[in-house]
Amino acid sequence: MTAALRRSGATALIHLAGMRAPAGAPHGASATAEANFAAAAVCLEAAMEAGLRRVVLLGSAEEYGPQAGPLREDAPLDPRTPYGISKAAATSMALALHRGRACPVVVLRAFSVYGPHQPAHMFVAEAIACAVGRQPFRMTAGEQKRDLVYVEDVVTALLAALDAPGVEGHVLNVGSGTAHRLRDVAALIWRLSGTDAPLLVGERPAVPEELYDTWADVTRAADLLGWRPRVPLERGLADTIGWAARA
């Protein structure tokens, strides 16, 4: 990878690749660790060897685990899923490489990203697909809250992190700064789409590790990147519904 970076003439790298193995999948934890931790290690080592000026590593709100928000970046990490554990390990490694070898890395800890082209099994994507397709949507009671951030806002944060001065060695939350109950998000999708499909709240059992809330404090990203989320939930959902209807 080092040789490829040198040939490309790149001066910076954004590392977004990763995976989440389905719950209960054989060897899912080991596969997730290999994809999310080992791959990040390869990218960071190669970036340093190639002399890149900046590496942006994408983390996850799952690194925090079940804690009350709004969550600041200095909160202790308590991940409960293989995905969250692997992301927390990658963040820890990145910060250690920064301290020990001056790796020019900044970690953006993304909350619940949504928007066009999202994997179909994710909550917003699945709900919108059912609404647009006029199919029943079976969901949990939906009392858990999520900080939903539109993909367009995440992209602007990533681009800002490429060039902002003095952010190496920092972890920055990327979220909307607001938490919404999932049952309210589903109701909003139904209203915006105008669907007559059944919305079946409480008909799907909840996975225990998905019952806690997420809520980001995005002050540090505003201070260090000059970044703030711009897309309100209603507009982001409307845009995603429009994309799904055309797809």
Side-chain angles (χ1 to χ4, degrees):
M1 183 174 179
T2 301
L5 287 172
R6 286 174 174 158
R7 287 195 302 271
S8 72
T11 62
L13 173 68
I14 299 177
H15 178 55
L16 304 178
M19 70 162 286
R20 179 195 298 273
H27 312 295
S30 59
T32 299
E34 181 71 20
N36 297 335
F37 177 77
V42 169
C43 287
L44 292 170
E45 290 280 0
M48 288 189 294
E49 291 171 5
L52 269 58
R53 62 172 181 80
R54 179 67 52 82
V55 184
V56 183
L57 183 67
L58 192 68
S60 170
E62 288 193 33
E63 297 175 50
Y64 291 117
Q67 302 186 58
L71 291 161
R72 290 164 40 101
E73 293 86 349
D74 56 4
L77 302 186
D78 187 21
R80 302 296 178 90
T81 64
Y83 181 78
I85 292 166
S86 67
K87 285 292 191 177
T91 295
S92 178
M93 173 186 58
L95 299 181
L97 287 174
H98 171 72
R99 292 190 299 269
R101 296 172 56 188
C103 180
V105 64
V106 56
V107 179
L108 298 191
R109 190 169 279 154
F111 278 64
S112 297
V113 185
Y114 73 98
H117 299 285
Q118 186 178 29
H121 67 278
M122 303 298 285
F123 177 83
V124 170
E126 184 180 355
I128 288 177
C130 289
V132 170
R134 295 186 173 181
Q135 298 297 315
F137 179 55
R138 294 175 173 82
M139 61 174 289
T140 69
E143 294 295 336
Q144 66 270 46
K145 296 177 182 179
R146 291 290 181 270
D147 186 321
L148 293 163
V149 57
Y150 191 53
V151 64
E152 179 182 307
D153 281 328
V154 178
V155 170
T156 60
L158 290 165
L159 294 176
L162 283 177
D163 296 313
V167 297
E168 297 91 342
H170 285 278
V171 178
L172 307 174
N173 286 336
V174 175
S176 70
T178 304
H180 299 272
R181 289 194 312 171
L182 291 185
R183 65 188 300 149
D184 296 333
V185 175
L188 181 55
I189 290 169
W190 253 242
R191 177 172 68 80
L192 293 172
S193 66
T195 187
D196 58 3
L199 176 57
L200 305 174
V201 179
E203 291 210 6
R204 178 185 290 185
V207 178
E209 60 264 29
E210 294 179 353
L211 287 174
Y212 61 84
D213 301 340
T214 63
W215 180 11
D217 182 325
V218 294
T219 304
R220 185 180 291 182
D223 290 343
L224 296 184
L225 300 182
W227 172 89
R228 289 177 177 80
R230 302 293 185 189
V231 181
L233 181 63
E234 185 162 336
R235 194 201 109 185
L237 289 177
D239 287 352
T240 308
I241 290 166
W243 170 84
R246 296 188 298 271

